Amino acid sequence: MCGIVGYVGYRKVVPVLLHGLQRLEYRGYDSAGIAVLDSEKKKIVVEKQVGKIKDLQEHLWGKDINGNIGIAHTRWATHGPPSIENAHPHTSQKDEFAVVHNGIIENYAQLKEELIKKGYVFKSQTDTEVVAHLLEEYYQDNLLNTVLKVAKMIEGAYAIGIISTLEPDKIVALRKGSPLIVGLGENENFIASDIPAVLEYTKKFITLDDEEIAVITKDKVEIYNIKGEKVEKKPFTVNWDIAAAEKGGYKHFMLKEIYEQPKTITDTISGFFSDLNNPVYKEMKNIESIVIIACGTSYHAGLVGKFWIEKYAKIPVIVDYASEFRYRDFPVNEKTLVIAISQSGETADTRFAAIDAKKKGAKVLSIVNVVGSSLSRESDFVIYTYCGPEIGVAATKTFTAQLVTLFLFAVKSGFERGYISQEDFEKIHHDVNSLPSLVNEVLKEDKNIENISYKYHNAKDFLFLGRGINYPIAFEGALKLKEISYIHAEGYPAGEMKHGPIALIDETLPVVCIIPKDSLYEKMISNIQEVKARKGIVIAVTDSEDKEVVSLSDNIIKIPSVKNENLYPILSVIPLQLLAYHIATILGKDVDQPRNLAKTVTVE
Ligand code: M6R
């Protein structure tokens, strides 16, 4: 939800800011802007544009902006519609301060009223503008002290970057609730909402914690807490390759990320096995119940994880939307493990639900992709998924990595609890190791899936059906299609279809049926018969070559067979990712940045 980036150093700042914004565009893309301390004009130059970063880039062509220090922002509107006035950066009355902000200032209305009474004139409808005016109102002779004062006045969640003509050698950044990292370079330093924004300049970072303030010049970074005391922070280094944040010859990030899955699954497996001493496994002997909380695609991973944990670790699991779990009185104690799943580790709903559960006495394990993210630091235990950055707004490679992690976590927990022998553990490890090559097999269906997409891209609705461990994959297939093609789609457990959704079926409705040759195969055949009897169009995702499935299906997408039927979800989701991708591209939709969405949802 909004991306911010800032630079101070020896380079020309405008290209650095634009590159950073391009890599943060997944966070929001309705308007963008930059503020530069122009060394020649000795003032803050602000340029903004409605639309995407490329629109801002075009707007900047031929403009002569000189400077080595600046801040920039890409917006996902919360307060006020996308417009030039509402685009960030926002400046103070005398243009002495410029501010970029990700998050929500909850008490902005009251602050605004007080500032208006003092004579401040507001140019935008945003909550952010109050910060610029507050800085001007309270500045005496020290920017850090002013920021400390303003930080105590504003409520809500924020990551803020500030520059000022009054102290033109520095950026001051502060954080509470929204992500913010400081990138450390040689004679240059950076701030950003996320690592990929500045990955081409540095791999060394500090993560700001809540209520910390960074004062950044080109050769120094100092961190303070809200009391103004200096804080020592240990930098960390990421081994992400810059290529991971680029399209690498693919037309879209989403397609690249779908094709990366054999590699990301390999990395997730080896990451998991290099972390077998993770203290969470010792804890598993004491755990009596598990609650999985997550949103969107991560929630679907949790639904599959429930099957595995109950089977291998023999612990009852409930799975809840983080946004719902937080607001009900669910009893937890120290024998409850809450597993919070989040690609970004910044999703507000998931983070706050996990924090609340921890306060109530539960242990919290997070399964997270972004190293050092807020959720990973707020949890008792963390397991990373090792996918590198995922730029496409639709989650793909991080979903299969979450699945692999949950599967291995379930098996390892079963081993620790005495339900799985060493021999079985090794056998299962062997089954999991076969996944990357099986995923490669699935990817060979790409052309077939594209052809099927051409046949049905004009359908108004889609239904996705699966049974048992594959029913959450039906949910995920429907979500993928909805979010990037804007076609209405529903996912259902196939056995539930006759209790309502069957009424939707007619000769115009494509029904994607996930039917691996597993223990529920026959039941699924019966469900497909029910679809066919009502003239629905069947697209079967299957490893079966039985006559029955062939004769009932209008289209078949092949997946390879897998020895351990519990692993089918990791394969069966991939054709659904490709189906959504092709339908959306045929319809001319922006698959990497679908309308109204943002990759990281840091507001409740
Ligand atoms: O970063 P998270 O995994 O916490 O994000 C959760 C959801 O916002 C996310 O999965 C969303 O549903 C994706 N757009 C799905 O493709």
Side-chain angles (χ1 to χ4, degrees):
M1 303 283 56
C2 303
I4 67 179
V5 62
Y7 175 79
V8 47
Y10 57 86
R11 299 173 203 259
K12 277 191 150 223
V13 71
V14 175
V16 179
L17 296 178
L18 286 173
H19 284 152
L21 286 181
Q22 272 158 353
R23 299 213 195 287
L24 292 175
E25 199 169 26
Y26 70 88
R27 300 178 67 87
Y29 31 83
D30 57 43
S31 56
I34 61 168
V36 172
L37 265 163
D38 193 305
S39 43
E40 284 166 16
K41 296 175 195 146
K42 305 262 180 274
K43 61 175 202 166
I44 296 175
V45 176
V46 176
E47 294 291 343
K48 308 177 188 186
Q49 192 59 279
V50 173
K52 299 203 168 183
I53 308 304
K54 68 170 176 32
D55 300 305
L56 176 66
Q57 222 160 0
E58 279 168 23
H59 167 80
L60 288 172
W61 277 341
K63 287 208 160 58
D64 186 26
I65 306 172
N66 289 301
N68 311 100
I69 171 163
I71 50 177
H73 187 271
T74 180
R75 182 166 185 251
W76 186 85
T78 55
H79 293 67
S83 66
I84 298 273
E85 295 73 36
N86 289 333
H88 299 217
H90 292 286
T91 46
S92 60
Q93 196 113 307
K94 291 190 247 159
D95 290 330
E96 288 170 341
F97 298 87
V99 171
V100 287
H101 165 219
N102 168 29
I104 293 177
I105 310 290
E106 284 164 4
N107 59 337
Y108 86 99
Q110 178 205 331
L111 293 167
K112 186 170 175 174
E113 214 180 291
E114 289 163 14
L115 285 161
I116 288 172
K117 277 188 201 144
K118 288 181 177 163
Y120 286 87
V121 178
F122 279 74
K123 292 169 277 201
S124 77
Q125 294 153 279
T126 66
D127 51 336
T128 307
E129 198 182 338
V130 293
V131 179
H133 296 313
L134 285 172
L135 289 168
E136 191 163 289
E137 170 70 12
Y138 291 102
Y139 185 85
Q140 284 177 334
D141 55 3
N142 183 302
L143 185 54
L144 171 64
N145 288 342
T146 317
V147 171
L148 285 167
K149 185 164 186 145
V150 170
K152 286 176 198 129
M153 302 170 74
I154 54 177
E155 289 163 17
Y158 47 79
I160 296 175
I162 301 161
I163 54 171
S164 171
T165 51
L166 303 173
E167 298 189 24
D169 61 332
K170 61 184 64 129
I171 299 175
V172 176
L174 67 156
R175 174 215 156 126
K176 186 179 161 203
S178 299
L180 196 63
I181 49 111
V182 179
L184 306 172
E186 289 288 321
N187 278 319
E188 58 181 351
N189 290 304
F190 309 80
I191 58 162
S193 300
D194 199 357
I195 289 169
V198 295
L199 199 54
E200 62 195 278
Y201 309 105
T202 182
K203 294 195 169 176
K204 208 165 151 198
F205 296 94
I206 292 173
T207 306
L208 281 194
D209 282 303
D210 277 351
E211 305 205 315
E212 283 183 347
I213 296 151
V215 179
I216 302 158
T217 56
K218 78 177 167 47
D219 40 27
K220 203 153 74 179
V221 172
E222 289 177 334
I223 314 287
Y224 297 86
N225 64 21
I226 195 82
K227 293 185 204 140
E229 299 158 341
K230 237 183 179 171
V231 181
E232 285 310 316
K233 305 278 289 190
K234 207 167 152 226
F236 64 94
T237 306
V238 295
N239 57 5
W240 292 1
D241 186 348
I242 185 63
E246 282 167 355
K247 284 188 197 152
Y250 286 89
K251 208 168 154 209
H252 297 102
F253 279 110
M254 183 181 176
L255 189 62
K256 175 183 173 240
E257 286 157 3
I258 292 173
Y259 269 84
E260 272 175 356
Q261 289 176 104
K263 176 167 187 317
T264 47
I265 290 175
T266 307
D267 292 348
T268 299
I269 297 168
S270 49
F272 187 90
F273 280 96
S274 65
D275 186 31
L276 287 181
N277 290 328
N278 191 316
V280 70
Y281 301 118
K282 289 281 160 277
E283 192 67 34
M284 291 315 291
K285 288 195 190 109
N286 307 321
I287 294 300
E288 289 176 357
S289 66
I290 290 182
V291 183
I292 299 182
I293 50 170
C295 306
T297 289
S298 299
Y299 170 77
H300 298 152
L303 290 175
V304 182
K306 171 184 164 76
F307 282 81
W308 290 326
I309 295 168
E310 288 180 346
K311 178 180 176 63
Y312 292 116
K314 313 246 177 282
I315 305 173
V317 180
I318 67 146
V319 188
D320 207 351
Y321 291 109
S323 54
E324 289 297 326
F325 179 75
R326 198 180 166 200
Y327 295 104
R328 67 195 176 93
D329 239 336
F330 188 85
V332 297
N333 58 35
E334 71 288 352
K335 296 195 170 172
T336 314
L337 180 71
V338 169
I339 305 181
I341 308 174
S342 174
Q343 183 286 125
S344 59
E346 300 295 347
T347 300
D349 289 324
T350 309
R351 279 185 59 212
F352 296 136
I355 291 169
D356 283 358
K358 201 168 155 186
K359 275 193 205 138
K360 285 187 191 164
K363 296 272 180 321
V364 175
L365 162 69
S366 57
I367 296 179
V368 167
N369 189 43
V370 177
V371 176
S373 53
S374 305
L375 179 62
S376 69
R377 288 174 297 120
E378 288 152 358
S379 310
D380 297 295
F381 315 103
V382 56
I383 304 178
Y384 288 110
T385 49
Y386 302 103
C387 291
E390 186 176 66
I391 311 287
V393 165
T396 52
K397 63 176 179 175
T398 54
F399 178 65
T400 47
Q402 288 168 343
L403 292 182
V404 169
T405 303
L406 282 160
F407 180 81
L408 290 170
F409 167 79
V411 173
K412 171 75 174 148
S413 301
F415 174 73
E416 293 294 331
R417 290 164 65 84
Y419 297 115
I420 288 180
S421 65
Q422 179 69 33
E423 196 188 336
D424 282 344
F425 187 51
E426 277 159 23
K427 205 164 136 265
I428 293 173
H429 184 183
H430 186 259
D431 293 339
V432 172
N433 276 342
S434 69
L435 282 170
S437 66
L438 296 174
V439 170
N440 265 321
E441 287 300 303
V442 183
L443 292 171
K444 290 185 186 150
E445 283 293 287
D446 193 4
K447 193 71 208 161
N448 176 31
I449 297 169
E450 188 178 5
N451 291 338
I452 293 171
S453 306
Y454 271 107
K455 277 163 80 177
Y456 303 117
H457 68 278
N458 282 324
K460 290 232 163 359
D461 308 276
F462 268 73
L463 189 58
F464 289 76
L465 301 176
R467 283 199 84 122
I469 200 163
N470 284 290
Y471 93 75
I473 301 303
F475 290 3
E476 176 59 9
L479 176 65
K480 279 300 80 103
L481 187 65
K482 270 186 276 210
E483 67 179 336
I484 61 169
S485 74
Y486 321 144
I487 295 175
H488 169 248
E490 293 208 37
Y492 256 89
E496 187 65 15
M497 180 183 62
K498 58 187 171 294
H499 300 289
I502 199 162
L504 295 171
I505 299 176
D506 65 15
E507 66 285 357
T508 66
L509 184 76
V511 185
V512 180
C513 303
I514 305 158
I515 172 166
K517 202 85 204 271
D518 62 7
S519 38
L520 290 172
Y521 175 76
E522 297 300 337
K523 300 266 176 227
M524 194 64 203
I525 286 284
S526 308
N527 297 133
I528 296 183
Q529 265 156 349
E530 290 159 9
V531 174
K532 251 356 284 177
R534 282 142 191 99
K535 301 198 174 73
I537 302 161
V538 173
I539 303 171
V541 176
T542 186
D543 55 332
S544 166
E545 289 179 0
D546 292 355
K547 268 202 210 118
E548 242 174 343
V549 77
V550 172
S551 63
L552 284 170
S553 306
D554 299 275
N555 308 271
I556 290 190
I557 300 172
K558 291 286 296 175
I559 54 171
S561 296
V562 55
K563 271 200 205 127
N564 182 340
E565 69 172 49
N566 292 292
L567 292 172
Y568 272 117
I570 300 168
L571 302 180
S572 62
V573 71
I574 290 165
L576 309 192
Q577 297 170 344
L578 284 166
L579 185 72
Y581 170 80
H582 286 301
I583 290 179
T585 47
I586 292 165
L587 291 171
K589 307 295 183 210
D590 185 343
V591 294
D592 283 336
Q593 292 169 353
R595 71 182 180 202
N596 305 339
L597 295 181
K599 181 78 182 159
T600 311
V601 185
T602 54
V603 290
E604 268 193 274

